[in-house]
Amino acid sequence: MYSKEAKFIKRNLSGVLLLDKPLGQTSNRSLQIVKRFFRAAKAGHTGTLDPMATGLLPVCFGEATKFSAMLLNAEKTYLATFKLGAISSTGDAEGEISEIVPAKFIDNNLNMASINKVLQAFTGQIKQTPPMFSALKHQGKPLYEYARNGQEIDRKPREIFIYDLILNSRVGNEISITVRCGMGTYIRTLVEDIGKALGFGGAYLISLRRSQIGQFELHQAYTIDKFQGEFSTEYDKFLYSVDSLLSYFPAITLNEIETSAILQGRSIANRSKETLLPSSKVRLYRSGGSFLGMGEITGIGTVVPKRLISQNEKALST
């Protein structure tokens, strides 16, 4: 345990905490709670969840923040429940709700087969128009600032990829689905579009839970209650190593001469036995196992350093 005098000293801590974000709390508030608990000097989260959403929120400490973009671009899975026949000013239950089609009419004119047919039409590569209530920027300001002032900004549709849409249940005018999707997907917009395609004027999101980001899954995460008590370094064991963010990239172990060259920003010959194409990302390790950072294969078959961890931090990050 830390002494009272030392408990507020910030630590150069590196690693990844998988958090189960609670309902009603912003992602940034969750981040600040665990950052303060771990006395971390530097922290950031990946893949913002709205206050009404719950589930997997990876928090990166220290050197892990250098690789957080790997999760921003990763495949994600959500459990979403939405209500048909009504729309929301924000696309979810926190907005102003307007009913379009009575729930009783929907109950009498909807079946599982028609739902599955529509869900199938939304799988694969589709176009989606980002919602006004989003952090996308127009002339330097987030769209949600315009939306709060009642302004509508023209948005161009963007291509997204939906890997799977699975119907879990339907009770009256409420439908629950599992969505496995690529980067840039807005689930609020997706359920609105599904509601329109089903012929009921739209839909709005009433609950959302993220269960997977890249290689990480919700069952690996901890609830925020775990980090409300007295601080102890024993909680560091809950952190995943920095290189866990790159676990799907091939690994190359370097000898001391190669390690020295990479740390000086120079390229080295690729001795990997794997066939790696140009622009392939690789994990780099020093002989003995300590993580150095991320490299990239060039067109002439060499390895160049792309992003390296501070060598002052390596004992905390591997």
Side-chain angles (χ1 to χ4, degrees), residues 211-232:
S211 61
Q212 175 255 335
I213 302 180
Q215 67 275 33
F216 297 122
E217 297 185 359
L218 186 57
H219 69 82
Q220 299 170 285
Y222 297 94
T223 62
I224 207 161
D225 297 345
K226 197 87 173 176
F227 311 106
Q228 301 289 336
E230 190 173 353
F231 169 74
S232 170

Side-chain angles (χ1 to χ4, degrees), residues 2 43 45 97 99 106 112-113 120 135 150 221 224 227 233 240 250 258 261 268 284:
Y2 273 15
H45 62 72
I97 309 301
E99 186 180 77
I106 296 172
M112 301 294 266
Q120 185 64 33
I224 207 161
F227 311 106
T233 54
Y240 286 82
E258 292 168 331
I268 62 172
L284 302 177

Side-chain angles (χ1 to χ4, degrees), residues 257-267 305 308:
I257 294 176
E258 292 168 331
T259 296
S260 178
I262 285 290
L263 293 178
Q264 292 173 37
R266 294 187 282 121
S267 63
L308 304 177

Side-chain angles (χ1 to χ4, degrees), residues 245-281:
L245 295 169
L246 308 174
S247 62
Y248 41 84
F249 292 139
I252 296 178
T253 300
L254 312 181
N255 60 36
E256 287 306 312
I257 294 176
E258 292 168 331
T259 296
S260 178
I262 285 290
L263 293 178
Q264 292 173 37
R266 294 187 282 121
S267 63
I268 62 172
N270 176 23
R271 296 187 295 104
S272 173
K273 294 181 180 179
E274 292 190 53
T275 301
L276 300 172
L277 298 175
S279 298
S280 294
K281 302 294 190 298

Side-chain angles (χ1 to χ4, degrees), residues 15-317:
V16 182
L17 176 69
L18 301 183
L19 195 64
D20 184 350
K21 191 193 83 65
L23 180 68
Q25 188 162 281
T26 66
S27 295
N28 186 60
R29 174 60 179 159
S30 299
L31 165 69
Q32 296 305 325
I33 288 172
V34 295
K35 180 183 179 182
R36 189 180 306 116
F37 180 86
F38 279 92
R39 319 297 186 223
K42 184 178 182 181
H45 62 72
T46 63
T48 302
L49 286 172
D50 292 337
M52 71 154 286
T54 65
L56 188 57
L57 180 70
V59 174
C60 296
F61 295 130
E63 295 295 287
T65 60
K66 293 180 177 179
F67 306 98
S68 59
M70 298 299 158
L71 290 185
L72 292 175
N73 300 332
E75 174 190 302
K76 301 174 178 68
T77 302
Y78 297 90
L79 175 64
T81 302
F82 57 94
K83 186 169 288 190
L84 288 169
I87 56 174
S88 164
S89 59
T90 59
D92 57 33
E94 296 187 334
E96 184 177 330
I97 309 301
S98 302
E99 186 180 77
I100 300 173
V101 179
K104 186 175 181 180
F105 177 84
I106 296 172
D107 198 24
N108 293 333
N109 292 274
L110 184 64
N111 57 62
M112 301 294 266
S114 61
I115 299 172
N116 278 314
K117 184 178 180 180
V118 167
L119 294 183
Q120 185 64 33
F122 279 90
T123 58
Q125 187 167 288
I126 63 172
K127 287 190 175 182
Q128 184 183 78
T129 301
M132 277 300 300
F133 277 89
S134 68
L136 292 178
K137 291 188 176 181
H138 173 74
Q139 297 182 348
K141 287 172 55 177
L143 287 178
Y144 61 75
E145 290 190 15
Y146 294 97
R148 287 169 180 168
N149 292 326
Q151 295 177 269
E152 183 82 13
I153 303 298
D154 185 49
R155 290 101 62 208
K156 292 182 179 179
R158 304 187 305 177
E159 288 189 343
I160 60 169
F161 201 91
I162 306 294
Y163 296 95
D164 280 315
L165 269 178
I166 300 171
L167 175 60
N168 298 322
S169 64
R170 176 241 168 164
V171 179
N173 65 337
E174 293 186 8
I175 294 175
S176 175
I177 59 175
T178 296
V179 185
R180 188 165 64 91
C181 58
M183 65 176 292
T185 303
Y186 288 93
I187 305 299
R188 283 174 292 154
T189 301
L190 179 65
V191 302
E192 285 177 337
D193 292 343
I194 290 172
K196 292 174 184 175
L198 283 168
F200 300 112
Y204 69 93
L205 196 64
I206 58 176
S207 71
L208 184 67
R209 185 160 176 77
R210 186 161 61 200
S211 61
Q212 175 255 335
I213 302 180
Q215 67 275 33
F216 297 122
E217 297 185 359
L218 186 57
H219 69 82
Q220 299 170 285
Y222 297 94
T223 62
I224 207 161
D225 297 345
K226 197 87 173 176
F227 311 106
Q228 301 289 336
E230 190 173 353
F231 169 74
S232 170
T233 54
E234 291 185 5
Y235 287 94
D236 291 354
K237 67 186 179 183
F238 296 150
L239 303 183
Y240 286 82
S241 61
V242 175
D243 58 339
S244 66
L245 295 169
L246 308 174
S247 62
Y248 41 84
F249 292 139
I252 296 178
T253 300
L254 312 181
N255 60 36
E256 287 306 312
I257 294 176
E258 292 168 331
T259 296
S260 178
I262 285 290
L263 293 178
Q264 292 173 37
R266 294 187 282 121
S267 63
I268 62 172
N270 176 23
R271 296 187 295 104
S272 173
K273 294 181 180 179
E274 292 190 53
T275 301
L276 300 172
L277 298 175
S279 298
S280 294
K281 302 294 190 298
V282 291
R283 289 174 287 143
L284 302 177
Y285 293 87
R286 184 194 299 266
S287 179
S290 61
F291 178 58
L292 295 172
M294 183 174 69
E296 186 175 88
I297 306 299
T298 70
I300 59 174
T302 59
V303 181
V304 295
K306 294 298 291 183
R307 187 156 294 179
L308 304 177
I309 67 168
S310 167
Q311 293 309 289
N312 294 327
E313 306 284 341
K314 66 179 182 179
L316 290 173
S317 60

